[in-house]
Amino acid sequence: MMEYTTPPSYGSTVVNVGGIVNDQEILCAGSANSAEHTEVKADPENDWLEPTAAKFLWSGRTSDGRAVNAELEGSLGERLDKVDVLAKVPGFVKTLVGGVVGTKPFIYQFSPRQKLSLKVNINGVESIEEGDMFSEATFIS
């Protein structure tokens, strides 16, 4: 799943694209999904709210029309990395970009050590899959 908000010049629209697959097929794919940071903490380095827990919801239909809903929720665990996208540019350029444009891009990366459960419901039949997750949260401006 990937979710982002367009800049104000494009209406600050939330766009989400995602899908659910199993070993045999694509169960559903589309844009009727959501990603929510359910818990956050302030990052003193840049004023972003770093996510510490998240909830992801998928909704769609199989190729034969059966309703699919899925949910994954839990702690993101200890952060793997925080990437300052402008870290390698000269200081004056970084200051210029941050001051004039207001951009201070950072990427937070997570892969919880505990297994998270993906609950998938297909036409009222629920299954639960446990697995590893990798997640990124990118903040630009």
Side-chain angles (χ1 to χ4, degrees):
M1 175 187 299
M2 177 177 71
E3 182 172 293
Y4 61 92
T5 304
T6 63
S9 58
Y10 288 91
S12 299
T13 304
V14 175
V15 178
N16 186 302
V17 191
I20 299 288
V21 299
N22 65 18
D23 291 336
Q24 292 84 33
E25 63 183 327
I26 298 171
L27 296 176
C28 70
S31 60
N33 315 301
S34 66
E36 176 187 357
H37 298 151
T38 56
E39 295 178 24
V40 295
K41 67 179 181 181
D43 183 337
E45 182 180 342
N46 57 35
D47 298 326
W48 290 119
L49 293 177
E50 176 184 343
T52 58
K55 180 177 184 178
F56 304 96
L57 299 172
W58 291 262
S59 182
R61 296 210 167 265
T62 62
S63 59
D64 61 359
R66 295 174 292 152
V68 177
N69 292 291
E71 177 181 328
L72 184 140
E73 183 174 14
S75 170
L76 295 174
E78 187 176 327
R79 181 182 69 225
L80 291 178
D81 199 5
K82 177 172 76 171
V83 179
D84 178 353
V85 177
L86 297 177
K88 300 296 182 192
V89 300
F92 75 92
V93 173
K94 188 174 180 176
T95 302
L96 180 68
V97 170
V100 174
V101 183
T103 301
K104 49 183 178 182
F106 277 81
I107 301 169
Y108 298 89
Q109 297 177 334
F110 305 91
S111 184
R113 291 185 182 173
Q114 81 279 7
K115 302 268 187 213
L116 295 178
S117 297
L118 174 67
K119 299 173 191 166
V120 180
N121 185 308
I122 302 175
N123 254 16
V125 178
E126 188 173 281
S127 63
I128 298 175
E129 297 287 335
E130 284 193 341
D132 298 316
M133 181 181 85
F134 176 80
S135 178
E136 285 188 344
T138 303
F139 299 94
I140 297 174
S141 62

